[in-house]
Amino acid sequence: MLSTHRRCAVAAAAAATTAALTLLGAGLPSVAPAADQPDLSRFYQQKITWAACKGDGMPKDLQCGKVTVPLDYARPGAGTLDVALARYRATGKSRGSVLLNFGGPGVAGIAALADGGKDFMGLTNGYDVVTFDPRGVGQSSPVSCGEGSAQVFANLDASLDGSDPQAALKQLQKVADECAKHSGPVLPYIGTINASRDMDVMRAALGDKKLNYLGFSYGTRLGAVYAAQFPKKVGRMALDGVDTLTEPLAEQGLVSAEGQQTALDSFITWCVKDVACPFGQDPRSARQQVVQLVQSLDRDPVPADFGRQLSGQDLVGAIGQALYSKQLWPSLEGALANLVQNGDASGILRLSSGGMARPDLPRPGARPSDRPGARPSDRPSGGPSSGPSSGLVDPGDVPVDNPPAALMAITCADTPDRPTAKQVTKNMDKLRAAYEEASPVFGQYQLTEVLICYGRPKGTDFIRDEVRAVDTPKMLLVGTRGDPATPYRWTMETAKRLGDSAVVLDNKGEGHTGYGSSRCVSQKIDAFLLYGSLPANGSSCGPESDR
């Protein structure tokens, strides 16, 4: 469950509520709401108190704070939750803030910025660089599926491989029930639509009239939804690794399997040029050997650390993570060589612990808690609330399964598709064949993820139906040709959907997203965010050096 390209949101309020939110922005906090709209002014009048960030290894110059937001924007008096923020201060005179989202869904922004903040120091020439843990993620009321969820997914893989869709659906229903049991009151209100509303509260609390924003992967969807909900509040917005806004999960999974297979083929072409490549020097033979290795490990997993075993699907997940960044290809080559030649799975396991953020950043994983599955307490947060409030969770108390639990919850909240058990059973053989044709390596792995929303409430259709033809200033969309998670075609499709506001930059490189791995992309994004300098629509950045 570590793919970065599937999304989700809750239709917690109608379009009329969105209009009220726009009127109640930071510039007009005292405007009275219409008679049939909730009063949100107290949330928009907040001020953030910044202090040193808690947790081991946090940079000394990184400051943390919070904003309080309604649990349900349609009923703001029914309860609140706190959203965790972090920032690096501008080094000179600040022109405001630029807000970052690292993707996922399910990535904790604070840990990601703490680990990879050096990539964004150029932006501090003019901005406070700010990020956040979205609702349900990290320190912001984190969702969880409990300690047994990993074994459930292992059983699910076996059910699908054994052509037993009914058994797979029972496992999925069990996952949905466990997630509801362990996630607390935030679960029905998780998702991109409410996260977008939270961002507008953050914008006001930061003192910005317009939102300047840099989003990666899933963060591009979050930015697009914000642009649709708050078009008059959009400042300079850059979206890197552009997500789909329209494709159902089944189609997304096929596209992802194809994209990952293409990226694997590129890696193999690179690998066989090196005498140390464990699959020899012939690309065709090397591709066959990878398929055979996965099949062999699925039949007979090898022992790994702490009593674990490495299956073929575990290997597929690790390869997929390493393909997200070309910088990881040498590590992947070495880990595969150690596995093939010595039966040592340790290198593969290290790669598999990479995650859902931009791949050149370490996975912002939560550390094990002394209280597994710890939930945020229903204690007063000090925020504007007339109902129960969930405060922030200490970094050490975030459930260890929060990233995949949040990925599932947000994806399913954003997705209206819910095939019935009858439909799944009828179509499983056809689906399996299509996925295996798309990728003999990644097909089964992606097929497992396509079904993750079974047993959950239906998600919103707002994103698919309403996020289009946004009336905003120009925004920069970056698509990478060799992206295994968000294929270039999604950049073009989303740009067409967003309309005249979209300006596309074609990154002719490898890996997931371009910022931080391509100097050209980084420079063009920085120039736009800092100075408003946009490249011409359809201009490109060339590939970085091969080795």
Side-chain angles (χ1 to χ4, degrees):
M1 304 311 303
L2 294 175
S3 180
T4 69
H5 67 281
R6 286 166 305 276
R7 329 290 111 194
C8 41
V10 185
T17 302
T18 299
L21 285 171
T22 304
L23 288 174
L24 292 169
L28 296 171
S30 62
V31 175
D36 59 344
Q37 302 301 334
D39 182 1
L40 301 172
S41 58
R42 65 191 186 276
F43 297 99
Y44 278 83
Q45 293 168 346
Q46 295 177 76
K47 300 295 181 185
I48 302 170
T49 300
W50 297 99
C53 295
K54 297 179 181 179
D56 297 336
M58 297 298 280
K60 293 181 179 179
D61 54 344
L62 187 66
Q63 297 179 322
C64 285
K66 68 178 182 179
V67 295
T68 301
V69 297
L71 187 65
D72 179 0
Y73 277 88
R75 299 183 302 122
T80 66
L81 59 89
D82 288 344
V83 174
L85 303 171
R87 73 173 180 182
Y88 283 109
R89 295 296 303 274
T91 54
K93 183 178 180 180
S94 175
R95 67 191 68 177
S97 304
V98 59
L99 190 64
L100 309 184
N101 180 276
F102 293 95
V107 169
I110 294 174
L113 186 61
D115 286 338
K118 66 180 185 300
D119 284 346
F120 305 97
M121 288 300 102
L123 292 173
T124 62
N125 290 333
Y127 290 111
D128 293 343
V129 174
V130 183
T131 192
F132 62 104
D133 291 355
R135 59 170 62 203
V137 178
Q139 298 178 60
S140 304
S141 300
V143 295
S144 172
C145 296
E147 293 181 328
S149 57
Q151 183 58 48
V152 171
F153 278 107
N155 295 339
L156 175 60
D157 282 334
S159 298
L160 288 172
D161 190 43
S163 303
D164 188 354
Q166 288 294 335
L169 294 179
K170 289 180 181 178
Q171 296 295 329
L172 287 163
Q173 185 64 65
K174 182 177 180 180
V175 170
D177 293 343
E178 287 298 302
C179 295
K181 176 181 176 182
H182 289 89
S183 290
V186 73
L187 187 62
Y189 306 103
I190 202 172
T192 304
I193 291 178
N194 278 337
S196 168
R197 294 184 173 122
D198 295 344
M199 288 204 307
D200 202 53
V201 173
M202 294 176 215
R203 173 197 60 75
L206 290 166
D208 294 330
K209 292 182 179 180
K210 299 290 183 72
L211 179 74
N212 301 307
Y213 179 79
L214 174 55
F216 300 99
S217 192
Y218 160 76
T220 70
R221 170 176 287 209
L222 183 57
V225 170
Y226 182 90
Q229 290 185 299
F230 305 98
K232 303 306 180 185
K233 298 299 181 183
V234 173
R236 295 171 184 171
M237 181 172 284
L239 309 178
D240 184 6
V242 181
D243 188 26
T244 180
L245 298 172
T246 59
E247 290 186 349
L249 284 179
E251 182 63 25
Q252 290 184 43
L254 274 175
V255 171
S256 181
E258 292 170 351
Q260 288 183 305
Q261 185 65 47
T262 299
L264 176 61
D265 290 345
S266 296
F267 164 75
I268 289 173
T269 299
W270 172 90
C271 181
V272 297
K273 296 176 182 178
D274 183 3
V275 294
C277 184
F279 306 115
Q281 276 63 63
D282 178 63
R284 183 188 296 270
S285 173
R287 293 185 184 100
Q288 294 173 345
Q289 289 180 61
V290 173
V291 174
Q292 293 166 359
L293 178 61
V294 170
Q295 293 172 344
S296 173
L297 289 173
D298 274 335
R299 291 191 302 268
D300 187 16
V302 299
D305 296 338
F306 306 110
R308 293 179 294 177
Q309 290 188 316
L310 181 80
S311 70
Q313 294 310 300
D314 294 331
L315 174 62
V316 170
I319 292 173
Q321 294 308 308
L323 292 176
Y324 279 178
S325 173
K326 196 171 182 179
Q327 297 169 6
L328 294 176
W329 286 9
S331 297
L332 176 59
E333 180 186 32
L336 287 169
N338 210 18
L339 176 66
V340 171
Q341 296 164 5
N342 304 317
D344 184 351
S346 59
I348 293 296
L349 290 175
R350 282 194 297 272
L351 288 172
S352 68
S353 67
M356 298 173 291
R358 289 175 51 238
D360 53 310
L361 301 178
R363 175 182 175 182
R367 293 168 302 189
S369 171
D370 292 335
R371 298 180 288 110
R375 299 296 316 137
S377 62
D378 287 338
R379 60 184 183 274
S381 69
S385 173
S386 57
S389 179
S390 292
L392 298 181
V393 171
D394 288 338
D397 285 338
V398 178
V400 294
D401 75 320
N402 177 242
L407 183 149
M408 289 187 291
I410 298 171
T411 299
C412 298
D414 277 7
T415 305
D417 308 309
R418 293 295 187 274
T420 65
K422 183 177 180 180
Q423 290 171 324
V424 172
T425 301
K426 179 181 178 181
N427 295 328
M428 181 58 68
D429 288 342
K430 183 179 179 181
L431 270 176
R432 185 183 295 106
Y435 274 70
E436 290 177 354
E437 181 179 358
S439 171
V441 174
F442 296 100
Q444 180 181 331
Y445 190 84
Q446 291 295 338
L447 180 59
T448 302
E449 297 185 2
V450 164
L451 303 177
I452 61 173
C453 296
Y454 182 82
R456 293 176 181 252
K458 182 179 179 180
T460 183
D461 56 8
F462 176 87
I463 299 172
R464 189 175 296 176
D465 294 345
E466 303 297 331
V467 182
R468 63 174 72 243
V470 296
D471 183 17
T472 69
K474 297 291 186 182
M475 60 179 71
L476 179 59
L477 279 63
V478 181
T480 297
R481 291 283 179 166
D483 194 319
T486 51
Y488 186 77
R489 86 174 206 199
W490 283 355
T491 300
M492 301 306 295
E493 291 172 359
T494 298
K496 182 177 180 180
R497 185 177 179 84
L498 294 178
D500 293 340
S501 296
V503 173
V504 173
L505 176 63
D506 180 356
N507 178 30
K508 299 181 184 300
E510 302 289 341
H512 182 41
T513 74
Y515 195 92
S517 59
S518 165
R519 290 185 297 274
C520 173
V521 170
S522 298
Q523 289 168 359
K524 290 186 182 297
I525 288 179
D526 284 357
F528 171 55
L529 291 174
L530 287 168
Y531 310 115
S533 176
L534 268 171
N537 187 35
S539 60
S540 65
C541 285
E544 301 289 306
S545 61
D546 187 47
R547 279 187 184 266

